[in-house]
Amino acid sequence: MRSIRYIPHLENIPVLVRAALNVPIENGEVANTFRLRKALPTINFLRRERARIVLIGHIGDQGTETLEPVYRALKTQIPNMRFCPATVGTAARAAVRELRAGEVLMLENLRRHAGEKQNDPAFALELSELADIFVQDSFDVCHRTHASVVGIPEHLAPYAGLQVEEEVRELTKALRPKRPSLAVIGGAKFSTKEPVLKTLLNSYDKVFVGGALANDFMIECGYGVGTSLVSKDADKEALRALLENPKLMLPIDEVVAPAGSHEDDVDEQTVGVDKVPSNQAILDDGPKTVAALGEFAQTANTILWNGPLGNYEKGFEEATEAFAKEVARSNAYSVIGGGDTVAAVEKLGLSDRFSFISTGGGAMLDFMSKGTLPGLAALETK
């Protein structure tokens, strides 16, 4: 990939930057600034080089959300920043023309246009006509074949931003772990995790499956999971093949409560994996499981972690946060990703105790299983 570090001339050049702007919004304000903080090094590099910076990105998935709260949050860190309520068209072109050297403009949510997800060539061309150079700095969408990811590089000279550079460098290290090594994959939906589990079982010494994802494995082992969330499309043959690998680890105890419960509303109980009541749901991994993981973490030289160990959104945070503390006090090279995983680490104030925190969730998993992504391939020097 070509890096923005090696662009010979940037002063007064309009640069289109695909930035990671998809952050949680609560009551009209940004609730977590992690991705925005990660976007600043590239933006500030271009500001110092006196480029005219045009930020594009998306927020949400409905196509109705606005980036205005994100603009307000970033404006506190970037002087003379502007916002345009259009993404393409006359208003967007006029806003770009008004930019002076070193100034930053944010355009409205890309996903307000159907052409973004459809990778519509006409929409990609409209975007590319706003600038002379394209910088990809939104690793979190590099696994998508969207117009702003793979379409724009067909028209503009593409470069990797500083965050994308760091993501590739650090995740490539994680693909070749120093032993002993531990990988922890949580979350849900087996079909999206199967490829990365196969890859990790080839390269890591221990691969732990937690969260709702473990329920599919428990059923295949003959255990009941009560009313727990399970994958509707889980491939039983693939599950059995993974279970035959001695490196695979599963929970040994679980926290259960009625399905749909919030942690504050119920008195949950901890049971062995063979004792899950038929009218209860597994909502978190138990303390014995976390203790076993903690032991591995303290002896590991490499730890990779993506996905919470429980239903984090419903307040079942204990296992995730307990394991985060174990990883933080280890001496391992530690790489984590995924929204809830990062949120837990940020909440605990432990971010500086991890070697690398990825801005990608699905993108991180896809990179770990494939070694590249469509958005990265689009940056390769032709």
Side-chain angles (χ1 to χ4, degrees), residues 110-111 113-127 144-155 374-375 378:
L110 286 164
R111 291 190 179 175
H113 296 260
E116 165 63 358
K117 284 188 175 183
Q118 294 168 1
N119 189 21
D120 178 24
F123 183 61
L125 180 60
E126 266 198 287
L127 289 168
R144 307 292 188 193
T145 53
H146 292 175
S148 66
V149 180
V150 298
I152 295 174
E154 294 292 324
H155 306 285

Side-chain angles (χ1 to χ4, degrees), residues 17 32 77 88 110 114 127 129-130 140 176 189 192 218-219 238 250 307 336 360:
V17 181
N32 187 310
Q77 304 296 318
V88 290
L110 286 164
L127 289 168
E129 288 174 342
L130 296 171
D140 59 307
R176 298 186 288 269
K189 202 167 183 183
T192 63
M218 292 299 180
I219 291 173
L250 294 172
I336 67 168

Side-chain angles (χ1 to χ4, degrees), residues 17 21 38 42 66 70 84 93 106 130 145 148 159 167 177-178 200-201 203 210 215 234 267 275 326 340 375:
V17 181
L21 307 178
K38 290 285 192 175
T42 291
T66 178
V70 182
C84 177
R93 291 193 297 271
M106 182 185 293
L130 296 171
T145 53
S148 66
Y159 293 85
E167 294 272 2
K178 291 184 178 179
L200 295 176
L201 284 166
S203 53
N215 297 340
D267 293 324
K275 303 291 185 185
E326 292 290 343
D340 290 337

Side-chain angles (χ1 to χ4, degrees), residues 319-341:
T320 300
E321 293 183 359
F323 183 58
K325 293 174 184 176
E326 292 290 343
V327 179
R329 72 184 186 92
S330 76
N331 294 318
Y333 168 73
S334 52
V335 175
I336 67 168
D340 290 337
T341 315

Side-chain angles (χ1 to χ4, degrees), residues 242-313:
L242 293 174
L243 282 166
E244 289 173 2
N245 194 312
K247 295 180 180 179
L248 189 77
M249 295 173 59
L250 294 172
I252 53 179
D253 61 343
E254 307 277 21
V255 174
V256 298
S261 298
H262 190 283
E263 199 274 340
D264 296 334
D265 301 332
V266 297
D267 293 324
E268 71 270 10
Q269 59 177 320
T270 301
V271 299
V273 294
D274 59 341
K275 303 291 185 185
V276 176
S278 59
N279 63 343
Q280 303 270 293
I282 299 168
L283 296 172
D284 206 357
D285 289 338
K288 290 181 180 178
T289 299
V290 174
L293 281 176
E295 285 186 27
F296 281 109
Q298 297 317 310
T299 61
N301 280 317
T302 305
I303 299 173
L304 175 76
W305 179 21
N306 184 299
L309 303 184
N311 192 333
Y312 198 82
E313 292 181 354

Side-chain angles (χ1 to χ4, degrees), residues 305 312 317-318 320-326 328 341-354:
W305 179 21
Y312 198 82
E317 308 166 350
E318 191 167 339
T320 300
E321 293 183 359
F323 183 58
K325 293 174 184 176
E326 292 290 343
T341 315
V342 175
V345 169
E346 292 254 297
K347 174 187 171 185
L348 295 169
L350 296 174
S351 297
D352 61 347
R353 303 293 300 276
F354 289 77

Side-chain angles (χ1 to χ4, degrees), residues 21-33 36 59 66-76:
L21 307 178
N22 188 28
V23 295
I25 304 294
E26 293 179 6
N27 300 317
E29 300 296 330
V30 172
N32 187 310
T33 61
L36 303 187
I59 187 162
T66 178
L67 280 169
E68 281 197 71
V70 182
Y71 158 70
R72 291 196 299 269
L74 265 181
K75 192 177 180 182
T76 64

